[in-house]
Amino acid sequence: MKKYLLVLVSFIFLACSAHEGPKHSISKAQLFPQMYAQKPKSILILPAVNSTKSAKAAREFSFTVTMPLASLGYYVFPVHLVDAYIKEKHLSHEGIMKLPALKQLKEQFNPDAIMFVDINQWDYSYSVVKTTTTVGVVYNMIDANTGAQLWANSGVYDHVPGAVIVGGPIALAIGLTVNTIVAATSALTQNAQQYMQMAYVLNSHAFYDLPRGPYSKLYMKDQNVLLSYRDKSQLVGDKIYVQPYFIVGSKIDSANKDSLCLSGVNSLGKCSGLQSYERYYREKVIAGNKYFFNAFFHYENGLPYLLSDNKKVFIKTQPNGKITYHVQIIKPNEKLPTSFIQTGFNVMPNTTQPRAKVLYYFDVLRVDNLVK
Amino acid sequence: MKQICLILLTCFLFLACSSPKPLLPSEKLYIWDGYLQSSLALGTNPSKTQLASHLRVLLNIIAQSDKAHKRVAPGIYAGVGQLYYDLGEQEKGIKYFLLEKSTYPEAKVFIDNALKELYPTQFGSQDKQAKNAKEEILTNNTKEEKK
C-alpha cells in the first residue's frame, strides 16, 4: 500500500512539475495552417498499420477512431466497410503508401483527406513492482489530391494501476502537452476492453484540438480560438533544452522514488539501458515523403517543431531524417544555462559528493515567431 | 477505511493538478449511445449473437437520433448495412447503405463501389448467394435460440 502511494505521489509530482514553464497561447490557425488552407470535409481513415506483436491491435483500434473524429464535424468513412473493401481489393499497406495509390484511393473513395494510423505499442509489461499497459499511435493526415501533409500527431498512453499518463503533444485544449494524468481507472479489467478504452482516450485527445469540420457550427469560425500551453522546452541560442522525460520517458525509478528513471525499468524495478527515446520515436514513409515522429513534437510539412516562448522552434534532423538529441553534463559548481528546465538526476547515484546534473537538448533548425 | 482515504486523496491530488475536461467536444453533434460499450463487447471474433446485439445498439442510435431530430452519425447507417449483410439480410442491408449515401453525399462514390465489389445483389456470384443463404439459416437458428 505504501509503495502504491509513493508511486502515485511521484506521478502526481511529475504531472504537476510538468507545468513549470511560462504560459503562452497559440491560435488554431497557427497550429493547423494546412487544415484551414485545404478545408478537408471528408476523411478516409485507412486500416491501421500494426507494428506491434499483438495481432488484434488493428481491429480493436478500428472501433475507437470514428467517434472522436466524426464528433468534430468531419465525415469519416465507415471504417469497417473500408476495411472489408480494402481486403476484397487486395490493397496492401505497402501499396497504399506509394504515391500512385493515392490516385486510386481518390477514385474509389473520393475523400478530401486520408489518415494513416500506425499503432506502434499495444503492449502489456509486467514486473514485480508494477504492470503497465501501453498504447502508442502515430497519426498522419494528408491531402487526398496532392499528398501534402495536413496534420500529424502522436501519443503514448501508459496505464499503470492507480494512474494513467498520456504523453505527447496530443491536445493543448485539454491543457496537456506532456504527461497529464487523465483519470484514475480501476474498472479496466478485460484485456481487449482495456486496450480499446485506452485507444479511445488516446484518439479523443489526439483529435481534440483539430479545427471543427463542416458539420459543426464552428466550421471555419474557430481560427482565432487560442490554445494555451506551458513551455516544456527552453530556447537558448541554437539549442532547445527539453524536460528529461522527453528523452527518457516517464518511468519511475523505484530505487530512487523522487526522480525519474534515466532509462527503462527492468524486471527488478531498477534502471536499465537508455531506450526510452527510441520507444517514443518513430519514422514513417508515406506517399514518397518521409515523416518522423517523437511523441513530444508537433509537425508542420513533415518537420518537427516545439512550441516555446511564442515561437515555433523547428528541430534539425539528420540527412536520413533522424532527430538526434544531445546530452550536456553540468558539473556541481557550474551554472545551469536554463531557468526552468531542472534536472534532479545524479550522474553517480551512490555518492555523497555534490551531484552533477544532466540536460538534454536538440539543435535548432529555424525559429518562426508567432505574431500576436 | 484506509482505502477510502487513499481514494479521496488520489482524487484531490488529481484535481489539484489538472482540471478534468470532457473527452468529446461540448457541441454534441451526434448521438452515440452505447456505441463504444457495444463495440468493446464485440471483441475480436464476434459470434452471430454478438453481431445481432451490436446491430440492435446501432438501430437504437438511429431511432434516438431521429427522435431528437439529429443527423445520424457518420458510419452508423453503413455499419447497420454491413451487419445486416453479415447476418444474411441483404435487402435490409442495401436500404441502410443507401441511407448512408443520402445522409452524407461525401460517401456516394465509396458506397456505390462497396456495393458493386462487396455486396453485388443482382449479379452476385453463386458462391456468394450460397454463403448468404447459409448465413440466413445461421441467423434463423440464432433467433430460435433466443426464443
Side-chain angles (χ1 to χ4, degrees):
Chain A
M1 186 62 89
K2 261 187 182 167
K3 192 170 265 177
Y4 165 78
L5 190 62
L6 276 168
V7 169
L8 177 74
V9 169
S10 313
F11 271 116
I12 305 286
F13 168 72
L14 292 172
C16 289
S17 64
H19 290 259
E20 275 172 356
K23 199 174 178 180
H24 307 286
S25 56
I26 181 169
S27 72
K28 287 202 180 193
Q30 287 167 329
L31 199 57
F32 308 106
Q34 289 303 314
M35 290 295 285
Y36 287 107
Q38 304 305 326
K39 306 180 187 62
K41 293 183 170 68
S42 58
I43 301 170
L44 170 66
I45 305 174
L46 290 173
V49 174
N50 176 14
S51 43
T52 72
K53 283 174 195 156
S54 167
K56 301 175 200 163
R59 183 183 149 75
E60 287 168 5
F61 180 86
S62 68
F63 287 100
T64 64
V65 72
T66 307
M67 201 169 146
L69 190 58
S71 294
L72 300 178
Y74 294 97
Y75 180 68
V76 178
F77 286 79
V79 284
H80 308 293
L81 193 61
V82 170
D83 196 17
Y85 184 84
I86 281 179
K87 269 189 196 127
E88 180 79 14
K89 297 285 279 182
H90 303 293
L91 296 170
S92 70
H93 285 305
E94 292 74 24
I96 286 169
M97 295 302 162
K98 290 185 186 126
L99 201 52
L102 282 185
K103 214 181 140 199
Q104 205 186 343
L105 289 175
K106 182 73 193 170
E107 279 166 12
Q108 298 188 10
F109 295 88
N110 195 30
D112 294 335
I114 302 169
M115 190 186 291
F116 297 87
V117 174
D118 194 332
I119 306 167
N120 48 52
Q121 286 175 85
W122 202 265
D123 313 312
Y124 181 76
S125 71
Y126 175 83
S127 75
V128 179
V129 186
K130 65 185 169 65
T131 53
T132 311
T133 315
T134 306
V135 171
V137 181
V138 171
Y139 312 84
N140 202 331
M141 186 149 67
I142 64 168
D143 187 301
N145 298 302
T146 64
Q149 187 182 49
L150 294 176
W151 171 81
N153 205 347
S154 64
V156 180
Y157 182 152
D158 283 326
H159 173 89
V160 292
V164 178
I165 289 186
V166 176
I170 300 256
L172 297 178
I174 313 181
L176 59 94
T177 47
V178 260
N179 294 357
T180 292
I181 290 168
V182 177
T185 45
S186 52
L188 301 181
T189 43
Q190 276 194 39
N191 236 352
Q193 295 203 1
Q194 170 155 340
Y195 283 120
M196 283 166 79
Q197 201 155 333
M198 288 171 65
Y200 173 72
V201 172
L202 195 58
N203 291 333
S204 304
H205 283 78
F207 305 148
Y208 197 92
D209 287 343
L210 273 173
R212 296 302 180 249
Y215 289 99
S216 162
K217 282 177 199 147
L218 289 171
Y219 181 55
M220 294 311 281
K221 285 179 192 158
D222 55 356
Q223 292 99 320
N224 297 325
V225 169
L226 291 177
L227 305 168
S228 63
Y229 65 94
R230 288 211 183 258
D231 278 352
K232 302 288 188 281
S233 50
Q234 193 177 354
L235 183 66
V236 181
D238 56 357
K239 295 172 181 170
I240 184 153
Y241 290 91
V242 293
Q243 303 283 3
Y245 52 68
F246 200 107
I247 305 296
V248 299
S250 52
K251 301 281 188 184
I252 297 293
D253 177 2
S254 63
N256 187 11
K257 289 188 183 63
D258 64 343
S259 77
L260 283 160
C261 187
L262 261 173
S263 49
V265 178
N266 67 18
S267 57
L268 294 171
K270 294 265 163 46
C271 288
S272 58
L274 258 180
Q275 58 193 18
S276 295
Y277 183 69
E278 290 296 322
R279 179 175 171 269
Y280 285 94
Y281 176 90
R282 306 287 156 188
E283 67 180 327
K284 193 148 184 59
V285 181
I286 295 168
N289 295 319
K290 211 167 190 181
Y291 297 111
F292 312 94
F293 297 94
N294 174 294
F296 302 105
F297 288 112
H298 296 273
Y299 293 85
E300 194 170 300
N301 299 322
L303 292 175
Y305 72 88
L306 293 170
L307 286 172
S308 181
D309 193 22
N310 288 315
K311 295 174 181 78
K312 280 182 185 174
V313 182
F314 287 88
I315 310 295
K316 246 183 214 165
T317 53
Q318 287 176 12
N320 69 5
K322 243 190 144 167
I323 309 164
T324 317
Y325 70 89
H326 304 279
V327 182
Q328 189 177 347
I329 309 283
I330 311 291
K331 288 183 189 131
N333 47 6
E334 255 178 318
K335 195 174 171 280
L336 277 174
T338 53
S339 58
F340 64 88
I341 308 269
Q342 304 282 341
T343 65
F345 296 144
N346 37 345
V347 174
M348 290 163 287
N350 301 319
T351 170
T352 50
Q353 298 296 309
R355 292 165 170 187
K357 294 194 170 186
V358 182
L359 288 178
Y360 299 97
Y361 68 89
F362 294 99
D363 290 328
V364 172
L365 176 71
R366 69 161 210 270
V367 178
D368 286 3
N369 281 303
L370 297 170
V371 187
K372 282 262 159 157
Chain B
M1 191 60 203
K2 218 176 181 182
Q3 285 210 337
I4 292 169
C5 284
L6 196 60
I7 288 164
L8 283 176
L9 177 70
T10 310
C11 293
F12 173 74
L13 285 171
F14 282 144
L15 289 173
C17 289
S18 58
S19 52
K21 297 265 174 71
L23 288 179
L24 288 176
S26 51
E27 176 195 20
K28 278 203 171 149
L29 280 182
Y30 307 113
I31 287 169
W32 298 93
D33 288 7
Y35 173 83
L36 194 65
Q37 293 84 334
S38 170
S39 304
L40 291 172
L42 273 184
T44 341
N45 274 315
S47 66
K48 293 268 169 188
T49 323
Q50 282 172 307
L51 288 177
S53 129
H54 189 54
L55 175 63
R56 276 197 299 278
V57 171
L58 296 190
L59 287 171
N60 181 52
I61 288 175
I62 294 172
Q64 295 289 321
S65 305
D66 290 347
K67 208 172 149 193
H69 303 290
K70 283 192 176 209
R71 197 190 296 270
V72 173
I76 299 288
Y77 283 130
V80 170
Q82 212 176 350
L83 284 166
Y84 269 132
Y85 263 95
D86 289 349
L87 294 165
E89 299 190 57
Q90 293 197 4
E91 277 175 27
K92 283 187 182 171
I94 199 160
K95 189 183 127 199
Y96 282 94
F97 280 131
L98 297 179
L99 275 169
E100 177 86 19
K101 203 167 76 165
S102 58
T103 313
Y104 296 102
E106 298 93 327
K108 187 186 179 304
V109 172
F110 173 52
I111 296 288
D112 288 348
N113 278 329
L115 283 174
K116 208 159 62 187
E117 297 284 337
L118 288 171
Y119 306 112
T121 38
Q122 283 119 326
F123 313 105
S125 69
Q126 287 188 343
D127 281 350
K128 269 202 172 143
Q129 280 176 12
K131 196 179 148 219
N132 285 334
K134 195 180 153 195
E135 278 172 356
E136 205 162 326
I137 295 165
L138 280 170
T139 323
N140 288 339
N141 287 349
T142 324
K143 277 177 191 163
E144 273 161 31
E145 268 175 37
K146 266 179 227 153
K147 280 173 196 169

